Amino acid sequence: MPRGIRKGDLPEKTCATCGRPFTWRRKWERVWDQVRYCSDRCRRTRKSAKEEAGRP
């Protein structure tokens, strides 16, 4: 019998930038409640979009 958890059983969230679903990763184990973006690229894109919106 296989050990571990199936990928389909992992929790999912939707990325705040691109809107795509992404699943739990071991490196996010302690901060899963704070994770909002699926990748560093989405996180960077979101920050620069906010900065540009605030500029005159």
Side-chain angles (χ1 to χ4, degrees):
M1 186 164 225
R3 296 186 329 166
I5 299 172
R6 291 183 298 200
K7 196 169 188 175
D9 294 337
L10 294 173
E12 278 192 3
K13 287 188 177 184
T14 303
C15 179
T17 301
C18 67
R20 294 180 181 164
F22 62 97
T23 57
W24 181 89
R25 294 182 186 174
R26 184 174 290 266
K27 70 179 187 177
W28 293 333
E29 185 172 13
R30 293 188 180 118
V31 294
W32 178 244
D33 294 333
Q34 300 162 0
V35 175
R36 296 183 59 206
Y37 307 107
C38 63
S39 65
D40 288 335
R41 181 180 181 183
C42 280
R43 185 174 47 83
R44 281 192 310 266
T45 303
R46 186 66 170 190
K47 280 187 177 179
S48 62
K50 283 185 177 180
E51 290 172 0
E52 288 176 11
R55 294 182 185 170

